[in-house]
Amino acid sequence: MTTSSQPVPRRAQRMLVPYQGALLFTIGLIAKGVEYFYNNTAFSRILVVAVPSATNAYLRLPARGQRIDVKFSPRSDIAMPRTAYFISDGTGITAETLGRSLLAQFEGVELNLVVKPYIDTLEKAHTLAAIIAQTAERDGARPIVIDTIVDQAIRTIIADAPGFKVDIFSTFLAPLEEELATHSTYTVGRTHAIGRDDVYMHRIDAVHFALDNDDGARTHQYDQADVILVGVSRCGKTPTSLYLALQFGIRAANYPLTEDDLDEDGMLSMPKALAPHRHKLFALTIDPRRLAAIRSERRPNSRYCSMDQCMQELQQAEALFRRYHIPYIDTTRFSIEEISTRMIAETNLTRRFSPR
């Protein structure tokens, strides 16, 4: 069997050109896709630096037998996660709260946050210093160490560890001592200790009140409430009530608006239990899509979590708020902290104490 060596007719060559161009264009697109995948995902630390663009592949065809080289080099632009330690010889709440506030300003940095409370002995301090050293070696960068340690010997051990240290007490106490012309007591756990009995008891009483008056359980105690939160089911009433109690000592009850409160015309009417306390009412609402998602976690595939049901309930509730001039806030994009402080500012509620 012989193979013909005759050249391909010129007309046939012209017919093949568009197909060759389309093929090369497709190859170029695939190459750019591979380049994008490697350069823009966290699965690879290889940077593709010499893949030709699809346009170049189409316009500048390589000569016969010439290879298109694809070079690889280690990536240097992928930032590894950093570790931040919040360290205290007490509860660690102050160090964590202040530390998180500072680090929240750096949105583009991936951080692993570790809380280490009650580092109150030299042995614990040496153990933690070794852990910090191991973390620095593992991450390839020194950890951020934010502490509120009072004991000088423990502070020295932690300071010797290979971390970037932010000593909250030493940063602020020395200038305050100079301004107040007196020395700090440097006492462990003063911020979150029981301290004054009246403040502690206000906190406990307010939490008990919020639990006893959750979800309209005991409406006969509403005369003792500082505020009564109203809204549809799962819009954030219970967590907000508890936060107000725990952080500010505010006695917060909450009442759910349900179909039982509908009048003959299918409109929400003012519940009888709330009517005498209209001046204490504050309402919460929420986006219907968010409400449906929250309710789906509780009762999936039910009428309770359907979009139609959520929209109908929210429309009726907001109509009630407007009709009776009840102030309300949309909780969709606010944290519990923001909901609570915005509500206090709008209603001029009196805090029995400040957050600790």
Side-chain angles (χ1 to χ4, degrees), residues 44-240:
S44 174
R45 299 194 67 196
I46 298 176
L47 177 62
V48 181
V49 297
V51 174
S53 69
T55 304
N56 290 341
Y58 178 72
L59 295 178
R60 294 199 298 272
L61 306 181
R64 175 175 288 183
Q66 180 181 348
R67 295 177 56 190
I68 299 178
D69 293 328
V70 180
K71 301 177 183 178
F72 296 91
S73 64
R75 291 203 64 170
S76 59
D77 60 334
I78 296 181
M80 295 296 291
R82 298 288 295 271
T83 302
Y85 286 95
F86 305 129
I87 305 171
S88 175
D89 39 14
T91 62
I93 296 174
T94 301
E96 182 180 5
T97 302
L98 292 175
R100 283 181 178 272
S101 297
L102 293 172
L103 296 175
Q105 307 305 314
F106 303 92
E107 295 182 356
V109 180
E110 183 179 353
L111 292 165
N112 297 322
L113 307 181
V114 182
V115 183
K116 292 290 185 180
Y118 299 111
I119 305 300
D120 49 9
T121 66
L122 298 180
E123 181 181 359
K124 291 179 181 179
H126 282 298
T127 300
L128 180 55
I131 293 174
I132 293 173
Q134 293 170 3
T135 302
E137 183 177 355
R138 180 197 67 204
D139 293 351
R142 56 181 178 169
I144 298 166
V145 177
I146 300 175
D147 79 86
T148 55
I149 294 173
V150 172
D151 187 281
Q152 185 58 51
I154 295 176
R155 288 168 64 186
T156 301
I157 295 171
I158 299 300
D160 290 338
F164 176 79
K165 196 162 184 295
V166 181
D167 188 334
I168 294 174
F169 277 177
S170 67
T171 301
F172 298 107
L173 283 181
L176 282 172
E177 287 177 335
E178 183 177 350
E179 178 64 25
L180 297 175
T182 185
H183 289 290
S184 166
T185 57
Y186 284 92
T187 304
V188 177
R190 289 299 296 270
T191 305
H192 299 282
I194 290 179
R196 293 170 50 196
D197 289 341
D198 58 339
V199 171
Y200 183 74
M201 291 311 299
H202 275 313
R203 183 193 301 271
I204 298 303
D205 289 343
V207 171
H208 280 309
F209 185 86
L211 292 172
D212 288 343
N213 293 273
D214 181 44
D215 222 20
R218 297 185 181 181
T219 59
H220 65 276
Q221 294 184 349
Y222 282 178
D223 59 329
Q224 303 173 36
D226 297 319
V227 64
I228 303 170
L229 301 180
V230 295
V232 301
S233 172
R234 312 303 287 182
C235 68
K237 300 184 302 299
T238 297
T240 303

Side-chain angles (χ1 to χ4, degrees), residues 334-351:
F334 290 136
S335 65
I336 294 173
E337 294 87 347
E338 290 175 304
I339 296 168
S340 301
T341 51
R342 286 173 181 269
M343 188 190 72
I344 290 173
E346 187 166 339
T347 59
N348 294 317
L349 278 172
T350 301
R351 307 181 185 199

